[in-house]
C-alpha cells in the first residue's frame, strides 16, 4: 500500500484521505482493538506506520511556503485523525466514517447495513459513509480554492486517445506497425502497442501539453468505462511519471451504476467540477458539468464502430492538428473558465459555481442568432428535443418554428426546400447543420460560408 503522496503542495481530498486512512490503519495495528483492518497487510502496516510517522515529522517541519502550501492542513489533518484515534473508541458512539472489508476503520465494528459509496480506486475494499464524503469534499474544496484549482474529470477513449484491437488493424493501417514508439521513454511517444492487451493506442495530438498545463489549474481524474487494467495501462501512457493523476483513476469497476458515470465516486464538490467526455449519455445526472468533446477517431475500427464509412486518419496517414485540434481548443476554453472563476466573478469564492460559468460562456457563441430548421428532423419528431436544437440553444441562439423576418439562419441539408429558398431570397444565412456542431465543438461561431448548403449537398 502506498497512498501518501510525497508532494507537499499537492492538494487532493483523495490524497488527504489516503494519509488519513494511513493514520487510521497505522493506529489500528497498535490500537486498543488490537486488530488490523486488513489481515493481509499486518507487516505492511507496521512498516507503513513507521513511514507515516516519518512522513508526519517531515510534514510538520515544513514551514509555510510563500505561494501557499497544503502541507499545514495536511499535517493538521493527520494530527486531527491521530487525536481522534487516541481517545477510546466506543463502537456505539462511533460515527463509522468508513470501512475496509466490512469493518469500521475507526472502531472496528462489523458494518453490514450501510449508506455510502465504495472507493475501490483509492483503496481496495474501501467504503465511505455519506457524511464522511461530505466532510472530505469540504476540506478538499477549501484547499483547492486556495491554490486556485478546480476539478477536471477526463474520459479516455475518443477524448484523450483512441485504441484498437491489433486484430482489427486494416490493410491500409499496416504501415503503423513500423511507427510504434518505444515504451522506454513513454513521455516522448504517442503510438504504442500493448502486446499483453492485444491493443494499439494512439494518444490524441496535444494531449501531453494539455495535461501538463491543465494540471496547473485543475485536480485531474481519469474516468473511463473501460475496465481497471485498461484504465491503469492508459494512465501509464498518459502520465508515465505519475505527476497528474496519482490514484485518481476511475474505471467502470469503480462506478456505482452500470453504463453511467457519476460524480458520487469523485471527492470533489459538483460546483467545482468540469468533465471532458465524448459521450453525453454517460453523464445524465451531470450534464451541466460536461464539456462534450468531438470524438477522436484515429483508427479504422473506431470509424466503423461509429458507422462512418470514410477512411480513418491512420489510413490517410494524417492526424488532428496539434495547435488547433480539439484538445487545444478545449484547453483554451478551460483556461478562460478558470480565469473567469477566480478573477472575474465577484461573489464569494465558496459560493461560485463552475457550471454557471460554463453555461454563460457557451451562450456567447451564437448569441444574437435566430435559427429555423428546414427538414432537418424527422416529421413526427418534436423539434425541441433534437440534439441540434438543444446544442443551438446552449450556444445562445434562439430556435423557432415560425418563419418571420427576425430569423437570421435557416439550417437545412437541401437548398431546394421552401425555407431554404426563402433564406436565399431574403439574404439570410443558409447553413448546413454541421455549422451548429462545428460552432459547438470549436466554441466559436463558424464562418457561415464554410457551411453552405449547396456545397454540402453536392459533396
Ligand atoms: Mg469516450
Ligand atoms: Zn465505527
Amino acid at each position: 500500500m502506498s497512498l501518501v503522496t510525497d508532494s507537499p503542495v499537492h492538494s487532493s481530498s483523495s490524497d488527504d484521505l489516503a494519509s488519513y486512512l494511513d493514520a487510521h490503519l497505522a493506529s489500528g495495528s497498535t490500537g486498543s482493538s488490537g486488530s488490523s483492518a486488513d489481515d493481509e497487510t499486518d507487516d505492511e502496516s507496521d512498516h507503513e506506520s513507521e513511514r507515516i510517522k516519518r512522513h508526519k515529522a517531515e510534514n510538520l517541519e515544513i514551514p509555510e511556503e510563500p505561494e501557499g502550501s497544503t502541507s499545514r492542513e495536511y499535517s493538521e489533518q493527520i494530527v486531527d485523525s491521530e487525536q481522534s484515534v487516541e481517545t477510546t473508541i466506543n463502537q456505539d458512539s462511533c460515527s463509522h466514517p468508513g470501512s475496509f472489508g466490512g469493518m469500521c476503520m475507526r472502531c472496528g465494528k462489523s458494518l453490514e447495513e450501510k449508506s455510502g459509496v465504495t472507493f475501490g480506486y483509492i483503496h481496495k475494499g474501501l467504503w465511505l459513509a455519506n457524511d464522511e464524503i461530505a466532510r472530505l469534499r469540504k476540506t478538499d474544496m477549501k484547499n483547492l480554492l486556495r491554490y486556485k484549482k478546480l476539478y477536471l474529470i477526463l474520459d479516455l477513449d475518443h477524448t484523450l486517445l483512441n485504441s484498437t484491437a491489433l486484430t482489427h488493424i486494416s490493410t491500409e493501417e499496416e504501415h503503423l506497425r513500423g511507427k510504434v514508439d518505444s515504451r522506454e521513454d513513454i513521455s516522448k511517444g504517442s503510438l504504442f502497442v500493448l502486446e499483453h492487451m492485444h491493443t494499439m493506442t494512439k494518444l490524441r495530438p496535444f494531449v501531453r501539453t494539455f495535461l501538463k498545463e491543465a494540471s496547473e489549474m485543475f485536480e485531474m481524474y481519469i474516468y473511463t468505462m473501460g475496465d481497471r487494467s485498461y484504465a491503469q495501462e492508459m494512465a501509464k501512457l498518459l502520465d508515465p511519471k505519475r505527476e497528474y493523476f496519482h490514484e485518481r483513476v476511475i474505471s467502470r469497476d469503480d462506478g456505482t451504476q452500470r453504463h453511467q458515470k457519476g460524480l458520487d465516486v469523485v471527492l470533489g464538490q459538483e460546483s467545482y467540477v468540469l468533465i471532458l467526455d465524448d459521450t453525453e449519455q454517460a453523464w445524465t445526472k451531470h450534464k451541466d458539468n460536461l464539456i462534450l468533446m468531438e470524438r477522436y477517431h484515429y483508427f479504422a475500427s473506431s470509424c466503423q464502430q461509429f458507422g462512418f464509412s470514410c477512411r480513418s486518419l491512420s489510413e490517410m496517414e494524417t492526424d488532428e492538428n496539434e495547435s488547433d485540434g480539439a484538445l487545444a481548443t478545449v484547453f483554451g476554453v478551460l483556461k478562460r473558465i478558470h480565469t473567469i472563476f477566480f478573477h472575474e466573478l465577484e461573489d464569494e469564492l465558496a459560493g461560485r459555481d463552475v457550471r454557471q460559468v460554463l453555461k454563460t460562456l457557451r451562450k456567447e457563441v451564437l448569441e444574437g442568432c435566430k435559427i429555423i430548421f428546414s427538414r432537418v428532423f424527422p416529421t413526427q419528431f418534436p423539434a425541441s428535443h433534437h440534439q441540434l436544437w438543444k446544442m443551438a440553444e446552449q450556444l445562445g441562439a434562439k430556435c423557432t418554428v415560425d418563419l418571420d423576418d427576425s430569423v437570421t439562419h435557416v439550417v437545412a441539408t437541401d437548398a431546394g426546400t421552401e425555407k431554404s429558398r426563402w433564406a436565399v431570397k431574403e439574404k439570410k444565412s443558409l447553413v448546413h447543420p454541421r455549422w451548429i456542431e462545428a460552432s459547438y465543438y470549436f466554441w466559436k461561431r463558424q464562418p457561415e460560408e464554410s457551411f453552405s448548403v449547396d456545397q454540402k449537398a453536392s459533396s
Side-chain angles (χ1 to χ4, degrees):
M1 183 178 62
S2 169
L3 290 163
V4 178
T5 174
D6 291 327
S7 160
V9 292
H10 200 71
S11 158
S12 153
S13 52
S14 48
D15 290 339
D16 286 348
L17 173 68
S19 58
Y20 168 87
L21 292 173
D22 278 352
H24 276 285
L25 279 178
S27 66
S29 61
T30 54
S32 55
S33 73
S35 67
S36 166
D38 188 340
D39 292 343
E40 285 167 17
T41 57
D42 266 356
D43 285 350
E44 263 179 75
S45 298
D46 288 337
H47 182 74
E48 198 69 13
S49 72
E50 277 305 302
R51 202 169 65 75
I52 304 293
K53 278 175 201 150
R54 239 181 12 251
H55 189 84
K56 279 174 198 162
E58 279 162 15
N59 266 324
L60 290 166
E61 280 160 20
I62 296 170
E64 196 171 7
E65 288 166 28
E67 84 275 25
S69 150
T70 52
S71 56
R72 208 176 63 182
E73 287 75 29
Y74 200 69
S75 50
E76 273 171 7
Q77 196 173 349
I78 294 168
V79 171
D80 278 354
S81 53
E82 196 176 46
Q83 279 165 352
S84 65
V85 296
E86 271 169 0
T87 57
T88 313
I89 300 159
N90 184 329
Q91 290 196 348
D92 296 327
S93 64
C94 177
S95 61
H96 311 313
S99 70
F100 285 108
M103 275 162 72
C104 174
M105 62 187 178
R106 185 175 287 162
C107 70
K109 186 178 178 179
S110 167
L111 300 175
E112 280 171 11
E113 301 252 322
K114 53 191 181 185
S115 64
V117 181
T118 54
F119 283 82
Y121 68 95
I122 296 176
H123 195 288
K124 192 164 181 266
L126 170 66
W127 162 91
L128 292 173
N130 291 331
D131 288 354
E132 184 63 2
I133 296 168
R135 191 188 69 80
L136 287 164
R137 281 189 179 140
K138 212 168 163 186
T139 311
D140 196 52
M141 184 241 341
K142 284 188 200 149
N143 283 340
L144 269 200
L145 294 184
R146 187 166 304 164
Y147 302 111
K148 297 198 165 42
K149 278 190 170 188
L150 297 165
Y151 300 92
L152 183 62
I153 316 291
L154 298 165
D155 170 52
L156 290 177
D157 293 311
H158 305 110
T159 297
L160 298 185
L161 50 82
N162 191 202
S163 291
T164 185
L166 289 173
T167 49
H168 291 165
I169 287 180
S170 72
T171 323
E172 274 192 276
E173 287 178 312
E174 284 295 330
H175 68 96
L176 293 175
R177 294 186 194 267
K179 294 178 183 157
V180 170
D181 290 303
S182 151
R183 297 193 69 188
E184 293 237 321
D185 187 356
I186 289 174
S187 63
K188 291 206 168 67
S190 71
L191 182 68
F192 299 97
V193 166
L194 297 118
E195 292 288 357
H196 61 294
M197 304 190 94
H198 313 287
T199 298
M200 187 184 277
T201 295
K202 173 69 179 62
L203 304 186
R204 197 168 200 169
F206 196 73
V207 72
R208 298 220 183 267
T209 316
F210 177 91
L211 293 176
K212 184 167 183 287
E213 309 233 330
S215 70
E216 306 273 312
M217 302 183 286
F218 297 94
E219 188 86 330
M220 301 191 293
Y221 282 72
I222 284 174
Y223 198 150
T224 176
M225 283 294 197
D227 62 20
R228 187 170 290 141
S229 58
Y230 177 74
Q232 297 291 356
E233 287 299 328
M234 294 303 114
K236 277 185 214 161
L237 298 182
L238 293 166
D239 185 16
K241 294 180 187 146
R242 285 179 62 86
E243 297 165 276
Y244 308 132
F245 301 112
H246 303 270
E247 77 294 333
R248 298 185 299 271
V249 178
I250 305 175
S251 65
R252 68 159 175 248
D253 303 320
D254 305 305
T256 53
Q257 276 180 285
R258 267 171 75 84
H259 310 303
Q260 276 291 306
K261 294 180 179 178
L263 293 179
D264 52 349
V265 292
V266 171
L267 288 171
Q269 288 197 6
E270 286 179 25
S271 49
Y272 307 103
V273 177
L274 289 172
I275 302 163
L276 295 192
D277 203 315
D278 63 288
T279 306
E280 193 177 12
Q281 304 91 286
W283 291 103
T284 47
K285 279 194 224 147
H286 307 284
K287 285 201 168 106
D288 295 341
N289 301 79
L290 177 66
I291 296 179
L292 193 62
M293 296 292 292
E294 190 177 20
R295 289 203 166 99
Y296 180 49
H297 294 294
Y298 183 73
F299 295 110
S301 68
S302 178
C303 295
Q304 275 164 18
Q305 190 194 336
F306 284 83
F308 300 119
S309 52
C310 55
R311 291 169 78 215
S312 68
L313 292 170
S314 61
E315 288 175 327
M316 294 187 288
E317 302 197 37
T318 180
D319 208 340
E320 271 188 14
N321 199 325
E322 274 274 333
S323 60
D324 60 9
L327 282 176
T329 302
V330 82
F331 177 71
V333 175
L334 291 175
K335 223 165 131 179
R336 184 87 188 91
I337 292 173
H338 185 270
T339 304
I340 294 173
F341 189 92
F342 286 104
H343 302 288
E344 294 178 16
L345 293 183
E346 285 172 356
D347 46 345
E348 210 184 318
L349 197 57
R352 296 178 194 176
D353 191 331
V354 75
R355 293 169 291 196
Q356 211 51 49
V357 180
L358 180 61
K359 197 174 173 182
T360 309
L361 201 58
R362 190 147 31 208
K363 277 200 177 299
E364 291 172 6
V365 176
L366 293 185
E367 202 180 0
C369 298
K370 190 164 177 184
I371 294 173
I372 193 161
F373 292 89
S374 178
R375 296 198 208 158
V376 173
F377 312 131
T379 358
Q380 297 302 320
F381 195 88
S384 60
H385 291 192
H386 197 276
Q387 173 82 351
L388 281 170
W389 182 292
K390 288 191 218 167
M391 270 184 173
E393 284 196 332
Q394 283 177 36
L395 294 174
K398 280 203 176 72
C399 296
T400 181
V401 288
D402 302 314
L403 188 64
D404 64 40
D405 200 48
S406 64
V407 168
T408 60
H409 291 74
V410 173
V411 174
T413 51
D414 178 356
T417 71
E418 201 177 316
K419 284 175 196 144
S420 297
R421 282 185 277 122
W422 172 87
V424 175
K425 187 168 141 262
E426 300 293 324
K427 302 213 176 345
K428 306 285 186 181
S429 295
L430 173 62
V431 289
H432 192 274
R434 265 174 252 160
W435 174 74
I436 296 175
E437 289 172 339
S439 300
Y440 187 88
Y441 290 120
F442 285 97
W443 287 77
K444 202 172 183 298
R445 178 164 161 180
Q446 297 297 298
E448 281 80 357
E449 57 276 17
S450 309
F451 294 85
S452 72
V453 176
D454 284 326
Q455 188 191 320
K456 295 289 171 191
S458 60
S459 68

